[in-house]
Amino acid sequence: MMSNFKIVHEIDGRLRVRFGQYAFTSGQATILKSDFLNLEYVRYVEAHYKNGSLLLVFDENYKNEVFDYLNNYDLSALQNREIPENCSQIYKYLIKVLSMN
């Protein structure tokens, strides 16, 4: 199943899309983030489950690959995946450390 999203903002190497309010849960946002960060050309990702948005910062030379991955990403498959236990702990730690700066 292809993703259904709307481009909210786009500049070179930065893209914000919206899947829809509560399109994924907080835990699924962690998986979504991890999936996109595993792409070698993606540098930064934010996923906000309340408004269903995804912010991607990536190497502009790979714009087509980002859109291909995004278009083919199956949000419904997130329901069948588990969040690694240490993943959420690391994420909470990073948020804490970053908020101290």
Side-chain angles (χ1 to χ4, degrees):
M1 177 179 203
M2 292 179 61
S3 291
N4 186 17
F5 62 89
K6 176 183 176 184
I7 298 172
V8 179
H9 183 64
E10 180 182 3
I11 58 174
D12 291 347
R14 183 181 159 109
L15 176 69
R16 183 177 298 275
V17 298
R18 193 153 292 139
F19 292 97
Q21 190 174 22
Y22 296 105
F24 45 86
T25 66
S26 175
Q28 291 169 341
T30 303
I31 297 169
L32 183 67
K33 218 177 134 166
S34 175
D35 288 348
F36 278 87
L37 281 173
N38 282 330
L39 301 173
E40 63 189 45
Y41 41 83
V42 173
R43 297 183 178 130
Y44 179 77
V45 180
E46 282 181 19
H48 300 277
Y49 75 97
K50 289 184 180 179
N51 67 6
S53 72
L54 183 68
L55 171 68
L56 300 167
V57 177
F58 56 92
D59 182 333
E60 177 62 25
N61 295 318
Y62 292 90
K63 181 178 179 178
N64 291 335
E65 288 83 353
V66 168
F67 274 102
D68 286 344
Y69 191 77
L70 195 53
N71 281 318
N72 292 304
Y73 195 84
D74 186 1
L75 274 182
S76 64
L78 291 174
Q79 296 173 7
N80 302 323
R81 294 176 58 192
E82 289 188 29
I83 306 163
E85 287 183 30
N86 64 343
C87 189
S88 60
Q89 292 171 357
I90 291 169
Y91 183 70
K92 287 177 187 177
Y93 173 77
L94 286 174
I95 294 297
K96 183 178 179 181
V97 169
L98 291 173
S99 66
M100 296 171 121
N101 293 332

